[in-house]
């Protein structure tokens, strides 16, 4: 089975008129297909107590954390032109981190080896110094550091298939060979990073793999590119744990991103990752929801991903 972690507390991150809305979570949780798949999962409902603000300093500057806390305390505002921080957002972003840590603990102790966190806000654009791109804090980077420190994991592979490049995650680990960052993303596109020659620096040189994709490529080429890059990343990294930044805005109908994908393609992505995990990580995968903004198609994409995780357990 697969651990499924979510809670309605994540609706409390209010964004007003914004693509990253609580309705995203409502659409997923209320979808009949998702509810049926949840019956096959080990569901962990939470709620999660927010991690202490000092925990965020594993990845982020204290001044960045303090800015989000102060704006939330004042009733909310913007951390950048795209990133809304409402009254409860600071607490909810820290609860999202706690949820990710809980997922790590569960897949490391078993009996299930996979977990999917249906959470918000997303995180992969948040850099060590700045909240940006709808993201307050970089949840997946924090999860990787937690796995290393709490469970003595030496090698983590982060896979990011969101349509937007995970610039924040890349920045955190760019000089760190213990965390391999692999990203497929639309390019040129927001946030302007993720060129193929961005491969790491210092001791981390060769531990970042960016596969920028042009608008208009075929689904077949997308899936082939993803799989070849995944094999290359796993061969180099030999991971003990795989983390997925699971964005679904590469779906062809997505209003914010969009490439060529159909919902079922995310099942294919997931199956490819599960095959790699079976070889390297004893099946251990933790997936975190990132982007995906079409309220009809987002649940379908999520369902395909979750179905792929569940099928890998059979």
């Amino acid at each position: 089975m697969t651990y499924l972690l979510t809670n309605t507390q994540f609706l409390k991150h209010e964004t007003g008129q914004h693509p990253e809305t609580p309705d995203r979570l409502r659409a997923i949780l209320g979808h009949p297909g998702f509810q049926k798949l949840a019956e096959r999962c080990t569901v962990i409902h939470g709620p999660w107590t927010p991690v202490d603000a000092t925990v965020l300093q594993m990845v982020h500057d204290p001044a960045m954390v303090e800015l989000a806390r102060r704006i939330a305390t004042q009733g909310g505002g913007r951390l950048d032109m795209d990133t809304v921080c409402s009254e409860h957002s600071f607490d909810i972003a820290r609860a999202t981190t706690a949820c990710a840590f809980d997922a790590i603990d569960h897949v490391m102790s078993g009996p299930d080896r996979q977990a999917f966190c249906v959470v918000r806000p997303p995180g992969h654009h948040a850099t060590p110094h700045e909240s940006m791109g709808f993201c307050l804090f970089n949840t997946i980077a924090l999860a990787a550091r937690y796995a290393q420190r709490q469970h003595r994991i030496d090698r983590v592979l982060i896979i990011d298939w969101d349509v937007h490049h995970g610039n924040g995650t890349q920045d955190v680990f760019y000089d760190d060979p213990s965390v391999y960052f692999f990203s497929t993303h639309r390019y040129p596109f927001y946030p302007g990073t993720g060129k193929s020659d961005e491969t790491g620096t210092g001791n981390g040189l060769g531990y970042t793999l960016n596969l920028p994709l042009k608008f208009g490529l075929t689904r077949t080429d997308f899936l082939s590119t993803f799989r070849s890059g995944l094999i290359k990343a796993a061969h180099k990294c030999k991971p003990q744990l795989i983390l997925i930044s699971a964005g679904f805005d590469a779906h062809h109908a997505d209003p914010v991103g969009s490439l060529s994908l159909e919902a079922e393609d995310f099942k294919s992505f997931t199956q490819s990752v599960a095959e790699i995990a079976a070889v390297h990580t004893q099946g251990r995968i933790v997936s975190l929801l990132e982007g995906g903004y079409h309220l009809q198609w987002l649940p379908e994409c999520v369902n395909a991903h979750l179905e792929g995780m569940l099928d890998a357990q059979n």
Side-chain angles (χ1 to χ4, degrees):
M1 297 182 73
T2 296
Y3 296 111
L4 178 62
L5 296 85
T6 192
N7 191 274
T8 56
Q9 73 186 122
F10 302 118
L11 298 172
K12 294 181 181 179
H13 170 52
E14 296 284 353
T15 54
Q17 295 296 317
H18 195 276
E20 205 294 287
T21 167
D23 286 343
R24 298 175 64 234
L25 197 64
R26 292 188 183 100
I28 295 168
L29 301 184
H31 193 279
F34 180 84
Q35 294 170 357
K36 186 173 182 179
L37 288 168
E39 295 174 358
R40 298 168 54 192
C41 298
T42 302
V43 181
I44 302 172
H45 290 288
W48 286 272
T49 301
V51 300
D52 190 273
T54 59
V55 172
L56 303 176
Q57 295 177 28
M58 289 194 296
V59 167
H60 298 296
D61 286 347
M64 172 184 167
V65 176
E66 173 58 21
L67 176 63
R69 186 203 66 78
R70 178 169 54 81
I71 289 180
T73 300
Q74 294 171 350
R78 288 186 178 266
L79 297 173
D80 82 339
M81 63 181 297
D82 297 317
T83 308
V84 176
C85 180
S86 63
E87 177 184 1
H88 300 292
S89 296
F90 183 66
D91 291 340
I92 297 306
R94 291 184 296 130
T96 295
T97 300
C99 177
F101 290 179
D102 196 17
I104 297 286
D105 290 341
H106 275 85
V107 301
M108 293 308 299
S109 62
D112 299 339
R113 298 298 180 95
Q114 299 182 350
F116 181 34
C117 301
V118 184
V119 293
R120 53 182 297 276
H124 71 150
H125 291 309
T127 74
H129 312 291
E130 181 183 13
S131 301
M132 61 179 289
F134 309 169
C135 304
L136 275 71
F137 307 118
N138 197 310
T139 312
I140 204 158
L142 287 159
R145 286 290 185 235
Y146 177 82
Q148 291 178 319
R149 298 183 183 188
Q150 188 69 22
H151 295 281
R152 299 183 179 180
I153 296 293
D154 296 319
R155 299 179 306 279
V156 178
L157 171 59
I158 296 178
I159 300 164
D160 190 330
W161 66 52
D162 192 280
V163 77
H164 303 97
H165 180 242
N167 61 299
T169 310
Q170 175 171 292
D171 285 357
V172 172
F173 302 114
Y174 205 53
D175 62 354
D176 184 351
S178 70
V179 179
Y180 193 110
F181 179 64
F182 165 51
S183 176
T184 56
H185 48 273
R186 180 175 165 181
Y187 187 88
F189 204 47
Y190 180 89
T193 54
K195 294 186 294 184
S196 58
D197 61 359
E198 296 172 19
T199 59
T201 190
N203 291 334
L205 185 64
Y207 287 86
T208 295
L209 176 61
N210 286 303
L211 298 179
L213 305 172
K214 293 183 178 180
F215 184 78
L217 87 167
T218 67
R219 294 169 61 198
T220 300
D221 287 346
F222 195 138
L223 294 169
S224 175
T225 300
F226 176 82
R227 182 164 179 79
S228 63
L230 176 63
I231 292 170
K232 179 179 179 180
H235 178 75
K236 175 77 171 181
C237 177
K238 296 179 173 57
Q240 297 163 300
L241 175 67
I242 293 175
L243 305 180
I244 302 175
S245 274
F248 300 100
D249 38 8
H251 187 277
H252 71 87
D254 192 272
V256 174
S258 83
L259 279 171
S260 57
L261 296 183
E262 300 287 350
E264 60 262 30
D265 295 325
F266 293 101
K267 182 175 182 179
S268 298
F269 282 174
T270 307
Q271 290 170 330
S272 294
V273 175
E275 290 171 8
I276 294 296
V279 173
H280 292 282
T281 71
Q282 297 180 305
R284 292 188 175 101
I285 301 169
V286 174
S287 177
L288 305 177
L289 178 66
E290 297 278 5
Y293 305 98
H294 193 290
L295 296 182
Q296 176 185 348
W297 285 110
L298 173 60
E300 300 288 350
C301 295
V302 166
N303 292 348
H305 176 44
L306 183 54
E307 187 175 7
M309 297 183 83
L310 287 163
D311 287 355
Q313 301 293 297
N314 296 332

